[in-house]
């Protein structure tokens, strides 16, 4: 149980959202305690490579990270300007952009992880971390405990390889039933993962992914494997009970491809504004996040219902486009048709408005 020190702000969960909230609360003059159930920062992750996307929010990536009070240039990261899409065994298609699609960061406990980078900023601002604290959330100010109800499952492998840096997206039900798989390689280290809905047979689609890349002639060694999950639960807008829920705990997630990090950070910033009496700024951010997550939900429904021909059409559009990032950005624009479609399809979908 949390013993409340009234002058302090209490956050449960030292993940991306919780630490962003703490950084901003400290900058607004609050003193902050974060309770973390694990014994260190990043311990809930597996050292995997993840991408911070550059298309969902209206501000571009460097600008929005700066708005979250974080020095973008200092983040250990590398930009991705191109990736390959593999669809139905046809020749992989290269998709190239002028601006980075996303920046890859490492998650986990290592000193070069994004988690550690945020923790260092927290430490410089005197945020207090209390570890091994599995807390009663109801007495906190912010609930930042991450995924709580599994709706998507992730199986991954860390690999070592001599292959050059590259990123691949793999689509198809044998690799990721109603989902997607990916391979990211950076400096001899790589993450191969599949994010999928639980299939009826309960199969693990990671093995076909590994096999597929081996068949293409990719030479790599699997160092370790991991399993994780994602929450995809859109909360009711009238759910305003305390504590404030941020990140995945509050359903702040990209429902299309699970790009939850920037959204988690923004929801942390919004909570910091709210707890510092800056309600107007908090509302503006929440409005954007609520629109974007609902659009991403509609996009997910459309993605899961794509026919093979439609999927090929979209891949070809991305390939031919001079700036495919603009297609992605347009896909996250407000669009009534999409919202209505998402409402109609909600019942067919495994996630709920909770
Ligand atoms: C394998 C995987 C790959 C992903 N890839 C990407 C990607 O490429 N790009 C992207 O943008 N997003 C990706 N995501 C999603 C993204 O990582 C999350 O959306 C984001 O980390 C959510 O941030 P958060 O602060 O809500 O939760 P987290 O960062 O998960 O942090 C939650 C923290 O709360 C702690 N906690 C939980 N319960 C308690 C409790 N009761 N008491 C105290 N502490 C508690 C946990 O230990 C953890 O430290 C991926 C997710 C997974 C699982």
């Amino acid at each position: 149980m949390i013993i409340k020190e009234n002058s302090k702000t209490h956050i449960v969960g030292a993940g991306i959202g919780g630490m962003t909230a703490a950084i901003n609360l400290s900058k607004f003059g609050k003193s902050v305690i974060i309770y973390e159930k694990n014994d260190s920062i990043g311990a809930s992750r597996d050292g995997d490579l993840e991408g911070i996307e550059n298309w969902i929010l209206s501000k571009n990536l460097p600008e929005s990270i700066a708005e979250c009070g974080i020095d973008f240039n200092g983040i250990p990261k590398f930009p991705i300007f191109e990736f390959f899409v593999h669809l139905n065994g046809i020749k992989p298609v290269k998709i190239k952009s002028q601006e980075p699609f996303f920046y890859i960061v490492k998650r986990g406990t290592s000193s070069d992880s994004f988690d550690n980078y945020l923790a260092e900023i927290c430490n410089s601002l005197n945020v207090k971390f209390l570890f091994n604290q599995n807390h009663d959330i109801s007495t906190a100010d912010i609930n930042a405990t991450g995924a709580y109800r599994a709706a998507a499952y992730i199986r991954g492998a860390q690999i070592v390889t001599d292959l050059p840096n590259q990123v691949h997206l793999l689509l198809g039900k044998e690799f990721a039933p109603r989902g997607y798989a990916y391979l990211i390689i950076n400096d001899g280290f790589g993450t191969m993962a599949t994010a999928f809905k639980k299939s009826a047979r309960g199969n693990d689609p990671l093995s076909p992914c590994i096999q597929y890349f081996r068949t293409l002639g990719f030479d790599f060694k699997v160092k370790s494997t991991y399993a994780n999950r994602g929450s995809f639960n859109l909360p009711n807008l009238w759910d305003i009970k305390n504590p404030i829920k941020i990140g995945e705990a509050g359903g702040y997630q990209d429902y299309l491809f699970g790009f939850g990090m920037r959204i988690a950070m923004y929801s942390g910033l919004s909570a910091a504004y709210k707890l510092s009496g800056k309600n107007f700024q908090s509302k503006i951010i929440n409005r954007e996040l609520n629109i974007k997550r609902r659009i991403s939900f509609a996009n997910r429904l459309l993605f899961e219902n794509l026919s093979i021909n439609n999927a090929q059409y979209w891949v070809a559009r991305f390939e031919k486009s001079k700036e495919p990032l603009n297609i992605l950005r347009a896909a996250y624009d407000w669009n009534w048709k999409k919202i209505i479609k998402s409402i109609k399809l909600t019942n067919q979908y495994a996630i709920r408005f909770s």
Side-chain angles (χ1 to χ4, degrees):
M1 195 186 105
I2 297 172
I3 299 160
K4 268 207 163 187
E5 287 171 58
N6 285 332
S7 57
K8 298 201 183 290
T9 305
H10 302 262
I11 300 175
V12 183
I16 300 299
M19 288 195 281
T20 305
I23 288 166
N24 288 283
L25 282 160
S26 304
K27 290 190 173 177
F28 299 147
K30 303 270 178 194
S31 68
V32 184
I33 302 185
I34 308 188
Y35 304 85
E36 167 56 47
K37 72 173 180 188
N38 287 309
D39 60 3
S40 57
I41 297 293
S44 67
R45 311 309 284 229
D46 307 281
D48 60 315
L49 300 174
E50 297 184 10
I52 313 182
E53 49 63 40
N54 192 12
W55 62 83
I56 295 179
L57 300 177
S58 51
K59 289 192 176 134
N60 74 19
L61 183 51
E63 209 183 332
S64 60
I65 297 283
E67 194 183 350
C68 288
I70 290 153
D71 172 20
F72 179 71
N73 294 328
I75 301 173
K77 63 186 182 309
F78 63 98
I80 297 299
F81 291 92
E82 63 178 48
F83 63 93
F84 292 87
V85 181
H86 302 245
L87 181 67
N88 305 319
I90 56 171
K91 197 166 162 277
V93 172
K94 191 199 268 188
I95 304 201
K96 270 180 100 156
S97 166
Q98 322 282 326
E99 260 185 88
F101 284 105
F102 35 76
Y103 285 80
I104 300 293
V105 293
K106 198 177 209 178
R107 297 295 309 271
T109 53
S110 62
S111 58
D112 59 348
S113 72
F114 187 41
D115 305 68
N116 185 62
Y117 180 70
L118 294 181
E120 279 176 2
I121 302 176
C122 286
N123 287 331
S124 72
L125 293 166
N126 296 322
V127 171
K128 189 169 169 186
F129 289 101
L130 293 177
F131 293 105
N132 300 310
Q133 309 267 332
N134 198 341
H135 265 301
D136 172 7
I137 291 153
S138 65
T139 55
D141 300 294
I142 296 179
N143 174 357
T145 50
Y148 64 101
R149 187 191 286 153
Y153 298 83
I154 298 151
R155 302 262 184 281
Q158 311 296 11
I159 63 165
V160 282
T161 179
D162 291 331
L163 289 167
N165 297 351
Q166 54 197 294
V167 173
H168 299 261
L169 173 68
L170 188 51
L171 300 172
K173 61 178 184 308
E174 65 277 41
F175 306 118
R178 296 171 74 199
Y180 51 90
Y182 55 91
L183 169 64
I184 304 167
I185 297 174
N186 180 52
D187 289 345
F189 174 81
T191 294
M192 189 185 300
T194 164
F196 59 98
K197 293 292 187 55
K198 211 170 195 174
S199 70
R201 286 167 289 127
N203 284 347
D204 179 353
L206 182 61
S207 308
C209 297
I210 294 175
Q211 196 49 45
Y212 173 76
F213 282 110
R214 289 214 194 286
T215 316
L216 289 185
F218 284 45
D219 189 18
F220 56 87
K221 211 166 120 192
V222 173
K223 219 173 87 187
S224 60
T225 58
Y226 62 91
N228 217 315
R229 63 188 183 153
S231 281
F232 294 86
N233 297 284
L234 283 169
N236 288 323
L237 284 176
W238 52 90
D239 179 9
I240 49 165
K241 284 191 297 259
N242 283 333
I244 301 172
K245 293 185 193 137
I246 64 168
E248 280 197 43
Y252 291 97
Q253 168 65 292
D254 164 40
Y255 295 79
L256 177 57
F257 283 134
F259 284 100
M261 281 189 286
R262 192 155 65 123
I263 291 177
M265 293 170 82
Y266 244 50
S267 67
L269 173 62
S270 166
Y273 275 138
K274 186 161 186 197
L275 291 172
S276 309
K278 301 174 197 298
N279 289 337
F280 179 70
Q281 290 94 325
S282 171
K283 268 191 192 149
I284 288 180
I285 293 177
N286 271 356
R287 184 170 181 278
E288 171 159 30
L289 292 181
N290 283 326
I291 289 172
K292 296 295 185 184
R293 62 180 167 169
R294 277 179 161 71
I295 291 171
S296 75
F297 175 65
N299 286 340
R300 178 72 188 212
L301 296 175
L302 296 172
F303 169 74
E304 288 192 11
N305 287 289
L306 272 187
S307 67
I308 303 282
N309 285 345
N310 279 336
Q312 281 172 348
Y313 162 81
W314 279 105
V315 172
R317 262 195 77 180
F318 275 102
E319 185 189 21
K320 284 187 197 130
S321 170
K322 285 211 174 73
E323 190 39 280
L325 251 183
N326 290 341
I327 302 179
L328 284 167
R329 286 178 177 145
Y332 282 78
D333 275 348
W334 178 260
N335 176 334
W336 277 107
K337 244 162 77 181
K338 268 193 219 154
I339 301 292
I340 290 165
K341 182 143 192 163
S342 81
I343 292 167
K344 279 194 190 151
L345 287 170
T346 302
N347 292 336
Q348 297 172 24
Y349 201 68
I351 72 170
R352 289 203 300 268
F353 289 87
S354 56

